[in-house]
Coordinates of all heavy atoms in Angstrom, one line a residue:
Chain C
S3 N -24.1 -145.6 -30.4 CA -23.5 -145.3 -29.1 C -22.7 -144.0 -29.1 O -22.2 -143.6 -30.1 CB -22.7 -146.5 -28.7 OG -21.5 -146.6 -29.5
R4 N -22.6 -143.4 -27.9 CA -21.9 -142.2 -27.8 C -20.5 -142.5 -27.3 O -20.3 -142.7 -26.1 CB -22.6 -141.3 -26.7 CG -24.0 -140.8 -27.2 CD -24.9 -140.5 -26.1 NE -26.2 -139.9 -26.5 CZ -27.3 -140.3 -26.0 NH1 -27.4 -141.2 -25.0 NH2 -28.5 -139.8 -26.4
I5 N -19.5 -142.4 -28.2 CA -18.2 -142.7 -27.8 C -17.4 -141.4 -27.9 O -17.4 -140.7 -28.9 CB -17.5 -143.8 -28.8 CG1 -18.4 -145.1 -28.8 CG2 -16.1 -144.0 -28.4 CD1 -17.9 -146.1 -29.7
A6 N -16.6 -141.1 -26.8 CA -15.8 -139.9 -26.8 C -14.3 -140.3 -26.6 O -14.0 -141.3 -25.9 CB -16.3 -139.0 -25.6
I7 N -13.5 -139.5 -27.2 CA -12.1 -139.6 -26.8 C -11.7 -138.4 -25.9 O -12.3 -137.3 -26.0 CB -11.1 -139.7 -28.0 CG1 -11.0 -138.4 -28.7 CG2 -11.5 -140.8 -28.9 CD1 -9.7 -138.3 -29.6
F8 N -10.8 -138.6 -25.0 CA -10.3 -137.5 -24.1 C -8.8 -137.5 -24.4 O -8.0 -138.2 -23.8 CB -10.6 -137.9 -22.7 CG -10.1 -136.8 -21.7 CD1 -10.6 -135.5 -21.8 CD2 -9.3 -137.1 -20.6 CE1 -10.2 -134.5 -20.8 CE2 -8.9 -136.2 -19.7 CZ -9.4 -134.9 -19.8
P9 N -8.4 -136.6 -25.4 CA -7.0 -136.6 -25.9 C -6.1 -135.7 -25.1 O -6.6 -134.7 -24.5 CB -7.2 -136.1 -27.3 CG -8.3 -135.2 -27.3 CD -9.3 -135.7 -26.2
F12 N -1.0 -136.0 -21.0 CA -1.1 -136.5 -19.6 C 0.2 -136.9 -19.1 O 0.5 -138.0 -18.6 CB -2.0 -137.8 -19.7 CG -3.4 -137.5 -20.3 CD1 -3.8 -138.2 -21.5 CD2 -4.2 -136.5 -19.8 CE1 -5.0 -137.9 -22.1 CE2 -5.4 -136.2 -20.4 CZ -5.8 -136.9 -21.5
F15 N -0.9 -137.3 -15.7 CA -2.4 -137.2 -15.5 C -2.6 -136.7 -14.2 O -2.1 -137.1 -13.2 CB -2.9 -138.7 -15.6 CG -4.4 -138.8 -15.8 CD1 -5.0 -138.6 -17.1 CD2 -5.3 -139.0 -14.7 CE1 -6.4 -138.8 -17.3 CE2 -6.6 -139.2 -14.9 CZ -7.2 -139.0 -16.2
H19 N -7.5 -133.7 -14.6 CA -8.0 -134.7 -15.7 C -8.9 -135.7 -15.2 O -9.9 -136.0 -15.8 CB -6.7 -135.4 -16.3 CG -5.7 -134.5 -16.9 ND1 -4.4 -134.6 -16.7 CD2 -5.9 -133.5 -17.8 CE1 -3.7 -133.7 -17.4 NE2 -4.6 -133.0 -18.1
E20 N -8.6 -136.3 -14.0 CA -9.4 -137.3 -13.4 C -10.9 -136.8 -13.2 O -11.8 -137.5 -13.5 CB -8.8 -137.8 -12.1 CG -9.6 -139.0 -11.5 CD -9.1 -139.3 -10.1 OE1 -8.3 -138.6 -9.5 OE2 -9.6 -140.4 -9.6
S21 N -11.0 -135.6 -12.7 CA -12.3 -135.1 -12.4 C -13.1 -134.9 -13.6 O -14.3 -135.2 -13.6 CB -12.1 -133.7 -11.6 OG -13.3 -133.0 -11.7
I22 N -12.5 -134.4 -14.7 CA -13.2 -134.3 -16.0 C -13.8 -135.6 -16.5 O -14.9 -135.8 -16.8 CB -12.3 -133.6 -17.1 CG1 -11.9 -132.2 -16.7 CG2 -13.0 -133.7 -18.5 CD1 -13.1 -131.2 -16.7
V23 N -12.9 -136.6 -16.5 CA -13.3 -137.9 -16.9 C -14.5 -138.5 -16.1 O -15.5 -139.0 -16.6 CB -12.1 -138.9 -17.0 CG1 -12.6 -140.3 -17.4 CG2 -11.1 -138.5 -18.0
R24 N -14.3 -138.5 -14.8 CA -15.3 -139.0 -13.9 C -16.7 -138.3 -14.1 O -17.7 -139.0 -14.1 CB -14.9 -138.9 -12.4 CG -13.7 -139.8 -12.0 CD -13.8 -140.3 -10.6 NE -12.5 -141.0 -10.3 CZ -12.3 -142.3 -10.5 NH1 -13.3 -143.0 -11.1 NH2 -11.2 -142.8 -10.2
R25 N -16.6 -137.0 -14.2 CA -17.9 -136.3 -14.4 C -18.5 -136.5 -15.8 O -19.7 -136.4 -16.0 CB -17.7 -134.8 -14.1 CG -17.5 -134.5 -12.7 CD -16.7 -133.2 -12.4 NE -17.3 -132.1 -13.2 CZ -16.6 -131.1 -13.7 NH1 -15.3 -130.9 -13.5 NH2 -17.2 -130.2 -14.4
A26 N -17.7 -136.9 -16.8 CA -18.2 -137.1 -18.1 C -18.8 -138.6 -18.3 O -19.5 -138.8 -19.3 CB -17.1 -136.9 -19.2
I27 N -18.4 -139.5 -17.4 CA -18.9 -140.9 -17.5 C -20.4 -141.0 -17.8 O -20.7 -141.7 -18.7 CB -18.4 -141.7 -16.3 CG1 -16.8 -141.9 -16.5 CG2 -19.1 -143.1 -16.3 CD1 -16.2 -142.6 -15.3
P28 N -21.2 -140.3 -17.0 CA -22.7 -140.6 -17.3 C -23.1 -140.1 -18.7 O -24.2 -140.5 -19.1 CB -23.4 -139.7 -16.2 CG -22.3 -139.4 -15.2 CD -21.0 -139.5 -15.9
L29 N -22.4 -139.2 -19.3 CA -22.8 -138.5 -20.5 C -22.5 -139.4 -21.7 O -23.1 -139.3 -22.8 CB -22.1 -137.2 -20.7 CG -22.5 -136.2 -21.8 CD1 -24.0 -135.9 -21.6 CD2 -21.7 -135.0 -21.7
F30 N -21.5 -140.3 -21.6 CA -21.0 -141.1 -22.7 C -21.2 -142.6 -22.5 O -21.2 -143.0 -21.3 CB -19.6 -140.8 -23.1 CG -19.4 -139.3 -23.5 CD1 -18.8 -138.4 -22.7 CD2 -19.8 -138.9 -24.8 CE1 -18.7 -137.1 -23.1 CE2 -19.7 -137.6 -25.2 CZ -19.1 -136.7 -24.3
D31 N -21.2 -143.4 -23.5 CA -21.2 -144.8 -23.4 C -19.8 -145.4 -23.2 O -19.6 -146.5 -22.6 CB -21.9 -145.5 -24.6 CG -23.4 -145.0 -24.7 OD1 -24.1 -144.9 -23.7 OD2 -23.8 -144.6 -25.8
K32 N -18.9 -144.7 -23.7 CA -17.5 -145.1 -23.6 C -16.6 -143.8 -23.7 O -16.8 -142.9 -24.5 CB -17.1 -146.1 -24.7 CG -15.7 -146.7 -24.5 CD -15.5 -147.9 -25.3 CE -16.1 -149.2 -24.7 NZ -15.5 -149.5 -23.3
I33 N -15.6 -143.7 -22.8 CA -14.6 -142.7 -22.9 C -13.2 -143.3 -23.1 O -12.8 -144.1 -22.3 CB -14.6 -141.8 -21.7 CG1 -15.9 -141.1 -21.5 CG2 -13.5 -140.7 -21.7 CD1 -16.1 -140.3 -20.2
I34 N -12.6 -142.9 -24.2 CA -11.2 -143.5 -24.5 C -10.2 -142.4 -24.2 O -10.1 -141.4 -25.0 CB -11.1 -144.0 -25.9 CG1 -12.1 -145.2 -26.0 CG2 -9.7 -144.5 -26.2 CD1 -12.5 -145.5 -27.4
I35 N -9.5 -142.5 -23.1 CA -8.4 -141.6 -22.8 C -7.3 -141.9 -23.8 O -6.7 -143.0 -23.8 CB -7.9 -141.7 -21.3 CG1 -9.1 -141.5 -20.4 CG2 -6.8 -140.8 -21.0 CD1 -8.8 -141.7 -18.9
S36 N -7.0 -140.9 -24.6 CA -6.1 -141.1 -25.8 C -4.9 -140.3 -25.8 O -4.9 -139.0 -25.9 CB -6.9 -140.7 -27.1 OG -8.1 -141.4 -27.1
I37 N -3.7 -141.0 -25.6 CA -2.5 -140.2 -25.5 C -1.8 -140.1 -26.8 O -1.5 -141.1 -27.5 CB -1.5 -141.0 -24.5 CG1 -2.2 -141.3 -23.2 CG2 -0.2 -140.2 -24.3 CD1 -1.2 -141.8 -22.1
I56 N -2.8 -144.2 -15.6 CA -4.3 -144.0 -15.9 C -5.1 -145.2 -15.8 O -6.2 -145.2 -15.2 CB -4.4 -143.4 -17.3 CG1 -3.6 -142.1 -17.5 CG2 -5.9 -143.0 -17.6 CD1 -3.5 -141.5 -18.9
N57 N -4.5 -146.4 -16.3 CA -5.2 -147.6 -16.1 C -5.5 -147.9 -14.6 O -6.6 -148.4 -14.3 CB -4.4 -148.8 -16.7 CG -4.8 -148.9 -18.2 OD1 -5.9 -148.9 -18.6 ND2 -3.8 -149.1 -19.1
F60 N -8.4 -145.8 -13.3 CA -9.8 -146.2 -13.7 C -10.0 -147.7 -13.7 O -10.8 -148.2 -14.4 CB -10.1 -145.6 -15.1 CG -10.2 -144.1 -15.0 CD1 -9.1 -143.3 -15.4 CD2 -11.3 -143.5 -14.5 CE1 -9.2 -141.9 -15.4 CE2 -11.4 -142.1 -14.4 CZ -10.3 -141.3 -14.8
V63 N -13.5 -149.4 -13.9 CA -14.5 -148.6 -14.5 C -14.6 -149.0 -15.9 O -13.8 -148.7 -16.8 CB -14.1 -147.1 -14.4 CG1 -15.2 -146.2 -15.0 CG2 -13.8 -146.7 -13.0
D64 N -15.7 -149.7 -16.2 CA -15.8 -150.4 -17.6 C -15.8 -149.4 -18.7 O -15.4 -149.7 -19.8 CB -17.1 -151.2 -17.6 CG -16.9 -152.5 -16.8 OD1 -15.8 -152.8 -16.4 OD2 -17.9 -153.2 -16.7
K65 N -16.4 -148.2 -18.5 CA -16.7 -147.3 -19.6 C -15.4 -146.6 -20.0 O -15.4 -145.9 -21.0 CB -17.7 -146.2 -19.2 CG -19.1 -146.7 -19.3 CD -20.0 -145.5 -18.8 CE -21.4 -145.5 -19.4 NZ -22.0 -144.2 -19.1
V66 N -14.3 -146.7 -19.2 CA -13.1 -145.9 -19.5 C -12.0 -146.8 -20.0 O -11.7 -147.9 -19.3 CB -12.7 -145.1 -18.3 CG1 -11.4 -144.3 -18.6 CG2 -13.8 -144.1 -17.8
E67 N -11.4 -146.4 -21.1 CA -10.2 -147.2 -21.6 C -9.1 -146.2 -21.9 O -9.3 -145.0 -22.0 CB -10.6 -147.8 -23.0 CG -11.3 -149.1 -22.9 CD -11.6 -149.6 -24.3 OE1 -10.7 -149.5 -25.2 OE2 -12.7 -150.2 -24.5
V68 N -7.9 -146.8 -22.0 CA -6.7 -145.9 -22.4 C -6.1 -146.5 -23.7 O -5.9 -147.7 -23.8 CB -5.6 -146.0 -21.3 CG1 -4.5 -145.0 -21.5 CG2 -6.3 -145.7 -19.9
K69 N -5.8 -145.5 -24.6 CA -5.1 -145.9 -25.8 C -4.1 -144.8 -26.2 O -4.2 -143.7 -25.7 CB -6.1 -146.0 -27.0 CG -7.0 -147.2 -27.0 CD -7.8 -147.3 -28.3 CE -8.9 -148.3 -28.2 NZ -8.6 -149.7 -28.0
F78 N -8.0 -140.4 -35.7 CA -8.1 -141.4 -34.7 C -9.5 -141.6 -34.3 O -10.0 -142.8 -34.1 CB -7.2 -141.0 -33.5 CG -7.2 -142.0 -32.4 CD1 -6.7 -143.3 -32.6 CD2 -7.7 -141.7 -31.1 CE1 -6.7 -144.3 -31.6 CE2 -7.8 -142.6 -30.1 CZ -7.3 -143.9 -30.3
I82 N -11.6 -145.3 -34.6 CA -12.2 -146.1 -33.5 C -13.7 -145.8 -33.4 O -14.3 -146.3 -32.4 CB -11.5 -145.8 -32.2 CG1 -11.7 -144.3 -31.8 CG2 -10.0 -146.2 -32.2 CD1 -11.2 -144.1 -30.3
G83 N -14.3 -145.0 -34.3 CA -15.7 -144.8 -34.2 C -16.2 -143.8 -33.2 O -17.4 -143.9 -32.7
A84 N -15.3 -142.9 -32.8 CA -15.7 -141.9 -31.7 C -16.4 -140.7 -32.4 O -15.8 -140.2 -33.4 CB -14.5 -141.5 -30.9
G85 N -17.5 -140.2 -31.9 CA -18.1 -139.0 -32.5 C -17.9 -137.8 -31.6 O -18.3 -136.7 -32.0
Y86 N -17.2 -137.9 -30.5 CA -17.0 -136.8 -29.6 C -15.6 -136.7 -29.1 O -15.0 -137.7 -28.9 CB -18.0 -136.9 -28.4 CG -19.4 -137.0 -28.8 CD1 -20.1 -138.2 -29.0 CD2 -20.1 -135.8 -29.0 CE1 -21.4 -138.3 -29.4 CE2 -21.5 -135.9 -29.5 CZ -22.1 -137.1 -29.6 OH -23.4 -137.1 -30.1
I87 N -15.2 -135.4 -29.0 CA -13.9 -135.2 -28.3 C -14.2 -134.4 -27.0 O -14.9 -133.4 -27.0 CB -13.0 -134.3 -29.2 CG1 -12.6 -135.0 -30.5 CG2 -11.7 -133.9 -28.5 CD1 -11.9 -134.2 -31.5
L88 N -13.8 -135.0 -25.9 CA -14.1 -134.4 -24.6 C -12.9 -133.6 -24.2 O -11.7 -134.0 -24.3 CB -14.3 -135.5 -23.6 CG -14.4 -135.2 -22.1 CD1 -15.6 -134.3 -21.8 CD2 -14.3 -136.4 -21.2
R89 N -13.1 -132.3 -23.7 CA -12.1 -131.5 -23.2 C -12.5 -130.7 -21.9 O -13.7 -130.4 -21.8 CB -11.7 -130.4 -24.2 CG -11.2 -131.0 -25.5 CD -9.8 -131.6 -25.4 NE -8.8 -130.6 -25.2 CZ -7.6 -131.0 -24.7 NH1 -7.3 -132.2 -24.4 NH2 -6.7 -130.1 -24.5
V117 N -16.9 -131.5 -27.0 CA -17.7 -131.3 -25.8 C -16.9 -130.8 -24.7 O -15.9 -131.5 -24.3 CB -18.5 -132.5 -25.4 CG1 -19.2 -132.4 -24.1 CG2 -19.5 -132.9 -26.6
L119 N -16.3 -129.6 -20.6 CA -16.7 -129.5 -19.3 C -15.8 -128.5 -18.6 O -14.7 -128.3 -19.0 CB -16.7 -130.8 -18.5 CG -17.6 -131.9 -19.0 CD1 -17.5 -133.1 -18.1 CD2 -19.0 -131.5 -19.2
Chain E
R4 N -30.6 -139.1 -20.5 CA -29.8 -137.9 -20.5 C -30.7 -136.7 -21.0 O -30.9 -136.5 -22.1 CB -28.6 -138.0 -21.5 CG -27.5 -139.0 -21.0 CD -26.8 -139.6 -22.2 NE -25.8 -140.5 -21.8 CZ -25.5 -141.7 -22.4 NH1 -26.2 -142.0 -23.5 NH2 -24.5 -142.5 -22.0
L29 N -26.4 -136.0 -28.7 CA -25.7 -136.3 -27.4 C -26.7 -136.5 -26.3 O -26.4 -137.2 -25.3 CB -24.9 -135.0 -27.1 CG -23.9 -135.1 -25.9 CD1 -22.9 -136.3 -26.1 CD2 -23.1 -133.8 -25.8
Y86 N -28.3 -132.1 -17.1 CA -27.4 -131.3 -17.8 C -27.9 -129.9 -18.2 O -29.1 -129.8 -18.5 CB -27.0 -132.1 -19.1 CG -26.4 -133.4 -18.8 CD1 -27.2 -134.6 -18.8 CD2 -25.0 -133.5 -18.5 CE1 -26.7 -135.8 -18.5 CE2 -24.5 -134.8 -18.1 CZ -25.3 -135.9 -18.1 OH -24.8 -137.1 -17.8

Side-chain angles (χ1 to χ4, degrees):
Chain C
S3 66
R4 291 154 179 139
I5 302 177
I7 71 160
F8 183 55
F12 307 118
F15 195 82
H19 298 131
E20 185 187 6
S21 161
I22 294 291
V23 173
R24 292 209 186 277
R25 287 157 50 209
I27 288 174
L29 190 58
F30 297 104
D31 299 316
K32 186 164 282 296
I33 297 173
I34 297 160
I35 301 176
S36 305
I37 308 189
I56 303 173
N57 272 317
F60 294 101
V63 183
D64 284 352
K65 277 179 159 190
V66 178
E67 276 180 39
V68 188
K69 286 191 196 296
F78 181 63
I82 64 171
Y86 301 94
I87 298 174
L88 170 68
R89 298 292 290 162
V117 170
L119 297 188
Chain E
R4 291 151 179 141
L29 191 57
Y86 301 95

